[in-house]
Amino acid sequence: RRSDQVVVNFANVGATFARTILRTARRRQNFDWEGVRRCVEFLSQTRKLKVVGCIRENFKGPDNGSRAVALPQDIWVSCFSIQETPSLAGRKHASADDEMTIKCAFRRNCFFMDNDNYRDWMKDMRDECVKLWLRKNQDALQMRYFFDSDLGTFDTLDGKSCTGPADTPGASSRTRERHFHNI
């Protein structure tokens, strides 16, 4: 498994930020690039992970409440790569960004970040190999996250560790030493 990479569903992160921090749940635009920026910065700087961003092609959204803009350059250059989901019509492609996030993580056999549960994908994914991989690895490889509504900070929800802090994506030996030193 590639423990140095994470595929991030940018639409999910940006929408969560807008809902939690900007409290735009009832407004027309439920997304902001600032949430993606905070996520990418945390993952690449704090966790030392290579971020593979997934976003619909030609997607535009507000950046810090501004008018809608395409993917900001500072986010683009902070990522290992950007994968653009084709804009597809029809109900069966309504969640193409979710499918692409899963498939990009499958091909890299790496972590993926999205707060969706993916229950439908574990049942309805057409590619049997990807479906089996997701069922087998979701608990270990799907990273969950949150934005602190008071501080505006981004962090991951790592869950309980069965074997210690080495299971945490991006945990360094220094982190493990600090953890065991504090026990």
Side-chain angles (χ1 to χ4, degrees):
R1 142 174 86 144
R2 297 229 27 173
S3 60
D4 66 334
Q5 288 187 10
V6 57
V7 177
V8 179
N9 184 326
F10 281 178
N12 184 267
V13 172
T16 301
F17 175 82
R19 229 179 10 260
T20 306
I21 304 303
L22 304 178
R23 294 178 170 84
T24 61
R26 295 176 189 223
R27 291 190 202 156
R28 190 168 178 236
Q29 189 64 269
N30 192 21
F31 176 92
D32 198 289
W33 286 114
E34 182 58 27
V36 176
R37 183 176 288 110
R38 292 179 193 188
C39 167
V40 170
E41 181 180 325
F42 177 87
L43 294 173
S44 63
Q45 300 302 312
T46 304
R47 292 291 179 87
K48 307 296 185 209
L49 293 169
K50 295 176 185 171
V51 176
V52 176
C54 279
I55 190 73
R56 285 192 188 275
E57 66 183 352
N58 303 315
F59 179 85
K60 291 186 176 185
D63 189 8
N64 283 305
S66 73
R67 61 176 176 70
V69 297
L71 177 63
Q73 188 67 22
D74 64 311
I75 296 173
W76 186 285
V77 299
S78 297
C79 293
F80 181 71
S81 72
I82 301 294
Q83 303 302 315
E84 293 182 293
T85 308
S87 296
L88 304 170
R91 240 177 23 142
K92 73 177 188 175
H93 295 298
S95 298
D97 59 325
D98 290 347
E99 182 177 5
M100 190 163 167
T101 299
I102 295 165
K103 286 184 172 181
C104 284
F106 166 75
R107 300 271 181 244
R108 290 163 177 79
N109 196 27
C110 71
F111 297 108
F112 59 102
M113 177 171 281
D114 192 323
N115 277 348
D116 290 347
N117 289 319
Y118 289 147
R119 272 182 241 136
D120 291 342
W121 287 111
M122 286 193 285
K123 184 178 52 142
D124 299 332
M125 177 71 72
R126 289 183 181 206
D127 185 318
E128 290 296 324
C129 288
V130 176
K131 184 192 302 185
L132 180 62
W133 176 85
L134 182 61
R135 285 179 179 167
K136 182 179 175 188
N137 295 293
Q138 181 184 23
D139 195 47
L141 295 180
Q142 185 172 8
M143 295 175 69
R144 310 299 183 133
Y145 67 89
F146 70 99
F147 288 96
D148 184 306
S149 61
D150 291 330
L151 303 176
T153 55
F154 175 91
D155 207 337
T156 56
L157 294 166
D158 302 317
K160 294 180 180 179
S161 176
C162 297
T163 59
D167 289 342
T168 303
S172 66
S173 59
R174 186 177 307 148
T175 303
R176 289 188 291 277
E177 289 168 13
R178 189 172 45 236
H179 172 78
F180 290 116
H181 178 71
N182 292 333
I183 295 178

